[in-house]
Every structure is written in C-alpha cells, then in structure tokens.
C-alpha cells in the first residue's frame, strides 16, 4: 500500500530528474497518490506541489479548480497560490473548489484549524 512520505519522495525524484530523466507524468502520479495514502505523517502543506502541478499542467492537464482546492488544503501556506489562481477563475469554479476542499477534509478527517469554523469534537470529528 505504501505511505505518503515515500510517495512524495518518488514524486520529487521524478520532478527533478534525480537518478534518471525528469518525468512529469510520474511526478504527478506519485504526488497525487500521496494525497490519499493512509500511512505516515502527511502534512497538508505537502499539497503545494500538487496544486502547482494542476495550475501549470505539469504531468497532467491544467485544472484551476483542482489547483485552488489543493492550495486551499495547504492552509495559510497556500494563500498566495489560492489568490493567484482565483484571479483566473469564475465565482462558480471557486465555489466548486472550496466544496471539494471541504469534502476532502471531511472524508479524510484532516482539517486545517478553524477551517469553516469547524471545531474539534470529543469523538475526534470536526463540526
């Protein structure tokens, strides 16, 4: 199954061509996979490169909704990217990206502190 830090490491190697040629498609594949792996510490700031890949079409088609979503999941670290991308988006696209971000957080039970006013509950959830 693997863990997030290992997948991120592979992505980095492929992005920078360390040990071989640069391979944007494999860099994207492993960075994307890391976002859903259940093992290992996964800091939400790790989403920055994935957001950048989507923003610039690196290893995948450019997708501003996905770029915004992953900048949003990066918390305050992603603020500059979120602002930059939002200038190229419609209001509807921004709403969609925010909904996807919130859904990811709920589904994965990983939240940015205070995100959407959610508070940690005694059962481990956020409401």
């Amino acid at each position: 199954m693997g863990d997030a830090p290992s997948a991120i490491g592979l992505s980095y190697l492929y992005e920078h061509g360390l040990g071989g040629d640069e391979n944007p498609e494999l860099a994207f594949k492993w960075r994307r996979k890391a976002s859903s792996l259940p093992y290992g510490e996964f800091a939400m700031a790790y989403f920055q490169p994935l957001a950048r890949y989507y923003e610039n079409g690196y290893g995948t088609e450019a997708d501003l909704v996905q770029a915004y979503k992953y900048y949003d999941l990066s918390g305050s670290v992603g603020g500059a990217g979120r602002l930059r991308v939002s200038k190229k988006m419609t209001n509807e696209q921004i709403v969609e990206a925010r909904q996807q971000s919130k859904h990811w957080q709920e589904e994965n039970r990983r939240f940015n502190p205070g995100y959407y006013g959610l508070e940690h509950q005694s059962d481990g959830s956020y409401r």
Side-chain angles (χ1 to χ4, degrees):
M1 227 208 245
D3 61 69
S6 296
I8 288 168
L10 283 170
S11 176
Y12 184 86
L13 293 174
Y14 285 120
E15 180 178 0
H16 297 282
L18 302 175
D21 293 332
E22 179 183 340
N23 188 321
E25 290 77 21
L26 287 174
F28 172 78
K29 172 189 169 184
W30 286 105
R31 184 61 69 162
R32 177 84 170 101
K33 186 164 183 64
S35 72
S36 63
L37 289 172
Y39 302 109
E41 283 299 312
F42 186 83
M44 293 176 105
Y46 291 163
F47 286 129
Q48 286 275 100
L50 186 56
R52 184 173 34 85
Y53 291 177
Y54 276 117
E55 180 180 1
N56 299 314
Y58 183 82
T60 187
E61 287 187 35
D63 185 332
L64 297 180
V65 170
Q66 291 301 308
Y68 187 103
K69 171 183 133 182
Y70 286 108
Y71 282 129
D72 195 53
L73 287 170
S74 297
S76 60
V77 173
R82 201 171 40 246
L83 179 62
R84 183 179 56 252
V85 169
S86 70
K87 292 177 181 179
K88 305 173 199 171
M89 299 171 71
T90 66
N91 288 336
E92 291 79 16
Q93 289 174 311
I94 293 169
V95 168
E96 174 63 24
R98 288 179 179 163
Q99 288 174 339
Q100 287 184 23
S101 174
K102 186 176 180 184
H103 177 74
W104 187 97
Q105 291 178 65
E106 291 168 349
E107 186 175 275
N108 291 278
R109 297 176 61 101
R110 294 182 182 171
F111 296 90
N112 290 320
Y115 198 81
Y116 288 117
L118 300 173
E119 296 181 18
H120 189 263
Q121 305 296 310
S122 60
D123 66 358
S125 67
Y126 287 77
R127 294 189 206 122

